[in-house]
């Protein structure tokens, strides 16, 4: 509603005027907005809007400036305000804006006030807008009043500004800047309002461009309004009106474009008229066309002048706004202006802002810059105007590929790919070398975009067009060879030879046709190296094999790679069908070709190991997989390879490949199973024959042959169940009964230990199928005991590798046995329990302490590792594996939790190397039994403290296993940090304090020679857990402490009792800042006195009630103190913070008052 100016000052809204008025926004008017079906959609944003025209129609059916006939004609429109029309869609906007234009032509002041009210409402303002006429725009008195300030008396903010011919004053509450306004509301409504608001401005300009846009009144007022509000301190005004201003300029760009098109058409028509003969010419028509051209030029000049005013008044002041959303809006619209109206905006004067904003701290602003530049570089007609900008900001664009925001990096890489396609000489070879390395990035979208650049730069070359061969197939092969050579050359130069799968994954989206051309790839590999057609060296052939295997993996498993993110987690139906088809295609072709490839490259172990991975990706349901002849040929080649090679890579890959081929019930699977059994039987026979001889005392050649056979059996036993050959009985005699006597060589023992551990593990995993009688269960337990005993003896072997393998083997079988007991079905016959002997348990713990927690100079291995980073990392990995194996025993209940106390002693010292393992151990043990886990930590601290005291009493120097008091206190602090949830670990923390107090005072008898407990300083360590106590529990702990100290003479003023004073101070220090969580979480109902602003003084002792009278306090102090001490000093007094106050606090704890059971009283 638009009341008179006088009525605005008196807050009445019944009259209307043309020259001045006030617009009131209140929450009571919000009910008029939520109309029918739009109520739910607009309920959050329209609380501050008003229905101007509805009230106007009710309170004042007619005005002097508008005829009654016009009101009757548009009665259905007057019930909707401009703010409400935003919710109705674009078609409704056009109708209402057309009616607003008609009203503007009749009464422009009243209509302008409606438009002003619209922008104020869109900003979410619930204040008051007062409008008054301004006669002189240049009046200095008027301009001096244009302010934005805070009225301390009324508590309101106000902004007074000139929107000629109006002087507008907006008044709103102080907290408006912290409230949500429509543009930033969460959920879909905020995005929807943003779109509809921009559409409204676009429709307004579009509908006004042929009528009132050029009247020099509407635009002047609107620009003044938006310019002033976009400079407001209030975020809502600044954000909304900046968006409106730049969108207004974008709409005017469209008007300028249409004017330019009209000018071009008129100019063409004028040229056509001029070319006509004298008889056909019409001077009047030429004059009319020239007049139209002049009019269009004037209008365009006026539009460009308006755009320049908006740019200087809104953009130049807001593109560096503190709000990142405003900066993003400015940059996004600037890119649109440059693309749509390049004649005015695409020059260095405007491009510099785009370059500057690429250095913005907010990723979204940088992203908007890159997206805008993509639109500019994508238009070939605009490229000549971008030369200077490209040369100036090219380095910045290249550096943005390393942006910490992944989307910015991806879009920047797409921009550079676009630049490389359109501008040949912009990127140098050094730039390409830097950008192409992103194919190995951990972000797949970035790597795939870099793959496009690599494919376009190196691989998409027409290699076969210049050939003289007429054979199309030969030309295709030569072109493929040229591309593959370029790819292999890049792969070898990158020096990342273990990352070929990432390279193939990066090229898959753009170069899948090349990488999936398996017939061509295999034909190139099968050609002789001397062939002129291929010309591949041996290194290039090995690299091509890696590419072939990687492409096979990519075609069957998809783009999911370890360490690479940004991959679609769920494949579409189309993608799944593509994977199935590709898998069938490669199975059909490679099953026939693979034996030939294996035969050709049988001399190279690395190449053979790569080729043997291919059958793991075959499709077992493919008809070609049933080809018995092809499978038999493949088995023959694998047999010959296994006879020739004994490297771990070849053996492990062959074992896994046979495991994949043996699965299923097809004819090919039967052939693979028969081939596997033949191989294993041959190796077992060879091993049996050699064991019957005294091979270890013979020459080294026979020993090496035995080791090779054992390696093959170990590799296959890792993947296949070889229980039918009874390797446990065959190899057990090789383990020494006494390591001090003669035994097998370390190489043999290493393989035997692994084979035996695999045998036991396979036996445990098949328990549900094999354990049908008690005799079998007893035999299985006997095998487990035998292996653990033999492994125990090997823990003291001279060779480090044998010791480590024995430890890992014992830990693995014990962990598997524990898991076997957990998953055992009680309804069937189950395994028998085996508990490792205490001697074995202590040996395992001693092994961990000796081989894991060792210093850098403890042995020669560690000292040598310091000189070589690779060896140091490998040694750290081995130690982590040993520690993890031991921790599994504790987690699975094989060992008691107390056995981990020794391990946690090294938590602080080795936190960087093993901190994650120890934290996980602590979390798992707490999930099992949090009280027992807490006792484990207590045992750790108490053992460290006891060792420290013994070391001090012995008077010796630094000894291994003894830590300083400071390190023990730091360890306690680290343990305390793990008790984050005070309520969850309440009982655990109380137990820590009770146990600690008992540890200090238990079995202590005071005497002149021993006035204090020997472990009294342990209370200083215990104080690290005081902050984890709830307030009710502190009273309990203090009572428990008082119970133990009441029998002794305690004087806290002496240095020997300072740990007790320190501990009591830590218990009382947090009382002042205690939060309500501790009270609510108490198991018992607490007595809570009336809270007041001075309630904290209770802790300080100034006005708190006392449970004892002063006489009682003095008497109690005399009993606890020496007879000669006066009663004015409490024996448990603690110096208050800060010490300068020199106050003595006496804490008296009630032990018999049941009503105040949970209250700890502190008195002066």
């Amino acid at each position: 509603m638009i009341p008179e100016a006088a009525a605005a000052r008196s807050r009445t809204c019944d009259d209307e005027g043309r020259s001045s008025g006030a617009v009131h926004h209140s929450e009571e008017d919000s009910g008029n907005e939520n109309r029918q079906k739009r109520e739910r959609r607009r309920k959050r944003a329209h609380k501050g809007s008003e229905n101007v025209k509805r009230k106007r129609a009710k309170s004042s059916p007619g005005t002097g400036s508008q005829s009654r006939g016009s009101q009757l004609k548009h009665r259905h429109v007057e019930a909707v305000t401009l703010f409400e029309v935003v919710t109705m869609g674009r078609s409704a906007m056009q109708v209402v804006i057309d009616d607003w234009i008609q009203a503007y032509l009749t009464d422009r002041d009243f209509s302008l006030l409606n438009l002003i009210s619209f922008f104020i409402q869109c900003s979410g303002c619930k204040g008051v807008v007062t409008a008054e006429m301004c006669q002189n725009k240049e009046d200095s008195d008027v301009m001096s009043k244009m302010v934005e300030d805070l009225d301390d008396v009324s508590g309101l903010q106000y902004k007074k500004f000139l929107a000629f011919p109006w002087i507008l004053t907006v008044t709103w509450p102080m907290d408006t800047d912290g409230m949500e306004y429509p543009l930033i509301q969460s959920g879909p409504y905020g995005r929807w309002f943003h779109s509809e608001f921009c559409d409204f401005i676009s429709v307004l300009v579009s509908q006004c461009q042929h009528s009132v846009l050029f009247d020099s009144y509407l635009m002047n007022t609107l620009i003044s309004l938006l310019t002033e509000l976009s400079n407001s301190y209030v975020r809502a005004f600044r954000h909304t009106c900046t968006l409106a201003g730049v969108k207004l300029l974008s709409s005017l760009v469209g008007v300028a474009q249409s004017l330019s098109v009209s000018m071009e058409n008129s100019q063409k028509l004028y040229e056509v008229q001029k070319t006509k003969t004298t008889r056909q010419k019409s001077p009047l028509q030429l004059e009319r066309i020239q007049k139209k051209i002049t009019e269009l030029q004037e209008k365009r000049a006026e539009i460009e002048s308006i755009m320049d005013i908006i740019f200087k008044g809104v953009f130049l002041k807001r593109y560096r706004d503190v709000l990142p959303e405003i900066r993003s809006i400015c940059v996004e619209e600037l890119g649109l202006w440059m693309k749509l109206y390049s004649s005015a905006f695409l020059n260095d004067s405007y491009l510099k802002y785009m370059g500057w904003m690429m250095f913005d701290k907010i990723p979204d602003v940088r992203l908007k810059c890159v997206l805008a530049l993509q639109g500019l570089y994508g238009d070939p007609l605009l490229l000549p105007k971008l030369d200077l900008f490209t040369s100036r900001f090219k380095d910045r664009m290249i550096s943005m590929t390393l942006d910490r925001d992944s989307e910015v990096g991806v879009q920047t890489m797409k921009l550079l790919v676009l630049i490389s396609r359109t501008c040949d000489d912009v990127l140098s070879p050094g730039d390409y070398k830097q950008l192409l390395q992103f194919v190995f990035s951990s972000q797949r979208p970035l790597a795939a975009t870099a793959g496009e650049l690599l494919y376009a730069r190196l691989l998409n070359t027409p290699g076969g067009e210049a050939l003289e061969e007429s054979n199309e197939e030969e030309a295709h092969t030569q072109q493929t060879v040229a591309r593959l050579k370029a790819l292999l050359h890049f792969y070898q130069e990158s020096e990342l030879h273990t990352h070929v799968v990432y390279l193939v994954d990066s090229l898959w989206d753009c170069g899948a046709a090349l990488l999936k051309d398996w017939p061509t790839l295999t034909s190139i590999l099968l050609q002789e190296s001397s062939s002129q057609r291929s010309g591949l060296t041996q290194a290039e052939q090995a690299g091509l094999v890696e590419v072939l295997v990687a492409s096979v993996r990519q075609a069957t498993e998809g783009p999911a790679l370890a360490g690479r993110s940004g991959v679609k987690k769920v494949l579409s139906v189309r993608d799944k069908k593509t994977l199935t088809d590709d898998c069938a295609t490669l199975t059909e072709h490679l099953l026939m070709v693979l034996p030939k490839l294996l035969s050709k490259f049988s001399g190279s172990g690395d190449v053979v190991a790569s080729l043997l991975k291919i059958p793991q990706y075959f499709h077992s349901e493919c008809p070609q997989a049933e080809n018995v002849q092809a499978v038999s040929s493949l088995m023959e080649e694998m047999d010959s390879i296994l006879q020739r090679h004994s490297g771990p890579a070849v053996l492990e890959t062959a074992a896994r490949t046979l495991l994949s081929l043996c699965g299923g019930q097809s004819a090919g699977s039967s052939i693979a199973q028969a081939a596997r059994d033949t191989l294993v039987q041959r190796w077992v026979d060879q091993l049996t024959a050699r064991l019957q001889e005294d091979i270890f005392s013979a020459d080294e050649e026979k020993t090496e042959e035995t080791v090779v056979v054992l390696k093959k059996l170990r590799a296959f036993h890792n993947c296949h169940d070889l229980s039918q050959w009874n390797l446990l009985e065959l190899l057990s005699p090789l383990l020494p009964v006494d390591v001090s006597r003669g035994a097998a060589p370390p190489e043999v023992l290493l393989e035997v230990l692994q084979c035996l551990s695999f045998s036991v593990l396979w036996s445990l995993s098949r328990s549900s199928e094999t354990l049908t009688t008690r005799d079998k269960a007893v035999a299985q337990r006997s095998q487990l005991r035998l292996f653990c005993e033999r492994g125990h003896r090997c823990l003291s072997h001279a060779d480090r590798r044998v010791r480590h393998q024995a430890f890992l083997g014992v830990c693995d079988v014990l962990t598997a046995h524990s898991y076997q007991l957990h998953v055992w079905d009680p309804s069937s016959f189950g395994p028998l329990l085996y508990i490792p002997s205490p001697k074995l348990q202590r040996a395992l713990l001693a092994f961990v302490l000796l081989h894991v927690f060792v210093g850098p100079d403890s042995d020669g291995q560690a000292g040598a590792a310091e000189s070589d980073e690779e060896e140091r990392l490998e040694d750290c990995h081995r130690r982590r594996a040993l520690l993890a194996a031991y921790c599994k025993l504790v987690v699975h209940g094989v060992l008691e939790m107390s056995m981990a106390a020794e391990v946690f002693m090294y938590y602080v010292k080795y936190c960087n190397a093993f901190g994650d393992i120890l934290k996980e151990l602590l979390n798992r043990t707490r999930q099992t039994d949090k009280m027992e886990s807490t006792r484990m930590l207590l045992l750790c601290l108490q053992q460290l403290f006891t060792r420290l005291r013994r070391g001090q009493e012995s008077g010796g120097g630094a000894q291994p296993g003894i830590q300083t008091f400071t390190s023990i206190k730091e360890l306690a602090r680290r343990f305390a940090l793990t008790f984050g949830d005070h309520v969850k670990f309440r009982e655990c923390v109380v137990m820590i304090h009770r146990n600690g107090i008992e540890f200090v005072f238990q079995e202590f008898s005071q005497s002149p020679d021993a006035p204090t407990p020997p472990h009294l300083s342990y209370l200083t360590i215990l104080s690290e857990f005081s902050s984890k106590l709830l307030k009710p529990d502190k009273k309990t702990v203090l009572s428990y402490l008082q119970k133990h100290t009441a029998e002794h003479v305690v004087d806290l003023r002496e240095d020997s009792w300072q740990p007790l004073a320190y501990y009591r101070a830590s218990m009382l220090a947090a009382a002042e800042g205690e939060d309500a969580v501790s009270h609510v979480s108490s198991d018992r109902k607490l007595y809570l006195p009336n809270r007041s602003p001075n309630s904290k003084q209770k802790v300080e002792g100034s006005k708190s009630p006392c449970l004892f009278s002063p006489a009682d306090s003095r008497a109690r102090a005399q009993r606890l103190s020496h007879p000669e001490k006066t009663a004015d000093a409490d024996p448990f007094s603690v110096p208050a913070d800060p010490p300068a106050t020199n106050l003595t606090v006496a804490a008296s704890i009630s032990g018999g008052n049941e009503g105040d059971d949970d209250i700890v009283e502190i008195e002066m």
Side-chain angles (χ1 to χ4, degrees), residues 599-666:
S599 177
K600 178 181 179 180
F601 297 101
S602 59
S604 175
D606 295 336
V607 176
V608 166
S610 299
L611 290 174
L612 285 176
K613 297 178 183 178
I614 294 178
Q616 300 177 19
Y617 306 106
F618 283 170
H619 191 25
S620 60
E621 298 179 359
C622 178
Q624 190 64 26
E626 300 292 333
N627 191 334
V628 177
Q629 183 178 0
V631 176
S632 300
S633 178
L634 179 61
M635 292 298 102
E636 292 176 0
E637 291 297 333
M638 291 185 64
D639 189 358
S640 62
I641 288 172
L642 291 174
Q643 292 181 8
R644 186 172 184 177
H645 297 279
S646 60
V650 176
L651 295 178
E652 292 175 5
T653 306
R656 294 181 181 274
T657 299
L658 278 175
L659 179 64
S660 176
L661 295 175
C662 291
Q665 302 296 329
S666 62

Side-chain angles (χ1 to χ4, degrees), residues 24-77:
H24 296 264
H25 308 282
S26 63
E27 294 185 0
E28 288 78 11
D29 296 327
S30 62
N32 296 327
E33 302 171 2
N34 304 324
R35 300 170 54 84
Q36 300 176 357
K37 298 181 180 180
R38 304 187 307 276
E39 180 177 0
R40 179 179 300 176
R41 190 178 185 186
R42 299 181 290 109
K43 65 181 179 179
R44 295 185 61 186
H46 296 167
K47 291 183 180 180
S49 65
E50 64 170 350
N51 194 333
V52 176
K53 295 187 178 180
R54 183 188 297 113
K55 290 194 174 183
R56 182 174 182 272
K58 292 182 179 180
S59 61
S60 181
T63 62
S65 62
Q66 197 170 16
S67 63
R68 182 174 300 275
S70 177
Q71 290 181 5
L72 295 176
K73 181 178 179 181
H74 301 288
R75 185 178 299 276
H76 65 286
V77 177

Side-chain angles (χ1 to χ4, degrees), residues 1-4 13-18 20 52 55-57 59-60 62-63 110:
M1 50 191 164
I2 312 298
E4 293 287 348
C13 306
D14 297 329
D15 299 326
E16 297 178 352
R18 295 176 52 135
S20 63
V52 176
K55 290 194 174 183
R56 182 174 182 272
S59 61
S60 181
T63 62
F110 173 76

Side-chain angles (χ1 to χ4, degrees), residues 712-764:
K712 295 177 181 180
L713 287 174
R714 184 258 304 164
F716 271 70
H717 209 351
N718 188 20
C719 301
H720 304 265
D721 183 12
L722 307 182
S723 301
Q724 57 179 323
W725 286 276
N726 200 5
L727 295 180
L728 186 65
E729 182 179 353
L730 177 64
L731 298 178
S732 295
L734 294 179
L735 291 181
V737 179
D738 187 0
V739 294
S740 61
R741 300 180 180 178
E747 295 80 7
V748 175
L749 290 179
L750 192 63
E751 302 299 332
V752 169
L753 283 170
Q754 295 185 63
C755 287
L756 292 180
S757 64
F758 291 151
S759 298
V760 177
L761 290 174
W762 276 109
S763 176
L764 295 175

Side-chain angles (χ1 to χ4, degrees), residues 563-591:
R564 176 162 281 185
S565 59
V567 185
K568 292 190 299 182
K569 296 183 179 179
V570 180
L571 297 179
S572 62
V573 178
R574 181 178 179 181
D575 294 338
K576 291 180 180 179
K577 185 178 184 303
T578 302
L579 290 178
T580 304
D581 295 343
D582 291 342
C583 188
T585 302
L586 68 90
T587 302
E588 181 179 357
H589 173 71
L590 293 177
L591 184 60

